Amino acid sequence: MSDKWVVLVTGGTGLVGSAIKQVVTAELLARPNETWVFVGSKQADLSDLNQTKALFAEHKPTHVIHLAAMVGGLFYNMSHNLDFFRKNMQINDNVLSVSHEMGVKKVLSCLSTCIFPDDTSYPIDESMVHNGPPHSSNFGYSYAKRMLDVMNRGYFEQHGKMFTSFVPCNVFGPHDNFSEEHSHVIPGLIRKLHKAKNEGSPTFTVLGTGKPLRQFIYSLDLARLILIILREYNSVDPIILSVDEESEISIADTAKSIASAFDYRGEIVFDTSKADGQYKKTASNGKLRKMAPDFKFTNFDVAMKETVDWFVQNQSIARL
Ligand code: NAP
Ligand code: GDP
């Protein structure tokens, strides 16, 4: 039947992919006409064109949620800008070109609010993706992500394809990458605080000044929003998937929330010799709010506690 959907989720084993898997299975948000396929790099290295073709030939997706990417926190980005650019350009070109060849009806690719210009007015909105250089700390990742938007527009203009993108703010939740080398701020601080607590350490060190501001979305909320746009959003233009602007929080207050989830009573100290990265990237979710005006985001401290509990209880499978 023509309305049978096969939804292929690339990056399906990561933070965001695992959350989508959870909402389509545990929350029963999959529809009867949909088959969901979640793949990681073990199923296919998407930076390799032949492996990408074989994967698509096997599953014959009608829809693709394209999450797979080389991903990392500020410090990993700062030391690997070239790798981020090349690897993500390869993956993205393969996924979109093979989607086109195989007649995929819709591709949703994942951008990030950190790819917007550094020198900008606030709040940032979807029209600003290409307005000026990104922050120097992650230019490789940012330009590769921006090129997804360029390719989406090209596939639409030349071939009439509905290849589009969504733009999450910072994401956190179960199944994140908690490793010292790759982690973003929340999983990085959770790993460190877990160790500090176990060792009875009187202090816990946060990198940088603690002053930068971030919008954090719980991975399960993001997954629920991705399902909405998969079914209802039909424009090539990107759409920002972020918590409200009022939910922006400093890194220092984020560290306090993590300490509270661990019931850690020691002192939080700041290593100001380390980089702060972008000061803020406040994004407007106005476009999303028009589609989902009543969407309720999980309370930040509640989501943090669930994430910390998951980490503590899943040491054997967590990426450390
Ligand atoms: P993640 O947990 O590191 O997961 C990355 C996923 O990509 C994994 O499933 C990984 O597979 C897969 N992957 C990486 N290289 C691959 C390759 N060469 N071939 C095939 N698969 C490959 O990352 P995430 O945080 O879920 O990120 C998902 C998407 O969200 C990315 O596009 C990222 O840029 C975007 N995003 C993330 C954040 C954030 O704060 N985390 C914020 C905004 C946007 P394996 O597990 O097999 O390695
Ligand atoms: P970004 O939002 O793209 O900049 O990426 P991150 O998730 O890596 O957040 C970086 C912010 O958190 C910067 O202001 C860092 O100085 C701060 N930060 C504090 N401690 C850590 C840490 O242990 N790891 C990381 N990645 N960032 C930290």
Side-chain angles (χ1 to χ4, degrees):
M1 265 171 57
S2 59
D3 65 346
K4 288 265 185 217
W5 286 20
V6 177
V7 186
L8 177 70
V9 182
T10 74
T13 52
L15 165 67
V16 181
S18 302
I20 297 178
K21 193 173 196 175
Q22 177 157 344
V23 302
V24 298
T25 52
E27 296 183 13
L28 305 177
L29 289 184
R31 290 179 174 167
N33 64 322
E34 294 168 357
T35 302
W36 286 78
V37 181
F38 295 87
V39 291
S41 59
K42 284 203 183 77
Q43 283 69 43
D45 177 355
L46 296 171
S47 63
D48 180 288
L49 182 58
N50 289 330
Q51 292 189 39
T52 309
K53 284 183 174 171
L55 180 81
F56 277 64
E58 181 184 351
H59 296 291
K60 300 185 177 49
T62 58
H63 294 69
V64 173
I65 300 177
H66 173 40
L67 307 171
M70 181 174 174
V71 179
L74 168 65
F75 299 98
Y76 194 57
N77 269 276
M78 284 170 66
S79 54
H80 293 83
N81 267 299
L82 176 64
D83 295 350
F84 272 94
F85 183 74
R86 294 194 63 221
K87 182 61 78 175
N88 287 330
M89 287 294 294
Q90 287 163 347
I91 292 174
N92 296 338
D93 189 37
N94 289 343
V95 168
L96 292 194
S97 68
V98 174
S99 293
H100 170 52
E101 277 170 30
M102 300 289 292
V104 173
K105 290 181 185 158
K106 189 171 184 178
V107 180
L108 297 181
S109 293
C110 188
L111 309 187
S112 165
T113 54
C114 67
I115 71 161
F116 283 103
D118 185 42
D119 184 6
T120 183
S121 56
Y122 298 101
I124 293 164
D125 70 37
E126 291 85 353
S127 69
M128 300 174 170
V129 172
H130 303 284
N131 279 3
H135 194 268
S136 57
S137 59
N138 63 359
F139 69 88
Y141 176 83
S142 297
Y143 277 116
K145 288 282 184 194
R146 288 183 184 192
M147 291 309 111
L148 272 168
D149 178 61
V150 171
M151 287 194 280
N152 286 344
R153 290 175 194 285
Y155 278 108
F156 181 68
E157 279 192 21
Q158 257 180 262
H159 302 293
K161 294 287 163 143
M162 185 42 62
F163 293 177
T164 185
S165 61
F166 57 92
V167 192
C169 55
N170 287 50
V171 190
F172 72 104
H175 300 279
D176 208 337
N177 189 336
F178 294 86
S179 72
E180 183 164 5
E181 189 179 21
H182 298 99
S183 52
H184 285 94
V185 57
I186 290 181
L189 294 182
I190 288 176
R191 186 199 66 254
K192 280 193 269 187
L193 196 37
H194 184 237
K195 187 163 181 272
K197 173 126 183 168
N198 281 346
E199 293 173 352
S201 170
T203 59
F204 155 56
T205 304
V206 174
L207 307 182
T209 63
K211 290 182 181 155
L213 301 171
R214 295 290 182 267
Q215 287 161 295
F216 290 107
I217 187 168
Y218 191 32
S219 56
L220 294 164
D221 288 341
L222 177 60
R224 294 172 190 122
L225 292 173
I226 291 172
L227 259 63
I228 294 173
I229 62 160
L230 174 70
R231 289 158 183 163
E232 296 177 23
Y233 186 69
N234 290 303
S235 162
V236 172
D237 295 331
I239 179 166
I240 290 172
L241 302 184
S242 170
V243 296
D244 302 322
E245 286 160 60
E246 306 75 62
S247 302
E248 194 169 51
I249 181 172
S250 70
I251 298 297
D253 285 342
T254 304
K256 281 186 199 158
S257 174
I258 299 171
S260 161
F262 273 104
D263 194 24
Y264 175 78
R265 310 286 171 85
E267 188 191 354
I268 300 176
V269 295
F270 295 90
D271 179 354
T272 55
S273 70
K274 296 294 190 301
D276 267 348
Q278 227 166 333
Y279 173 59
K280 65 176 186 175
K281 35 192 172 176
T282 323
S284 163
N285 66 3
K287 187 170 177 178
L288 168 68
R289 278 297 185 199
K290 286 195 185 123
M291 286 187 71
D294 301 324
F295 187 86
K296 296 230 171 354
F297 291 95
T298 308
N299 172 277
F300 181 67
D301 293 322
V302 170
M304 187 64 80
K305 178 81 175 110
E306 287 180 12
T307 305
V308 165
D309 289 349
W310 182 90
F311 178 75
V312 172
Q313 289 158 18
N314 289 279
Q315 286 288 292
S316 59
I317 58 163
R319 283 179 285 172
L320 292 168

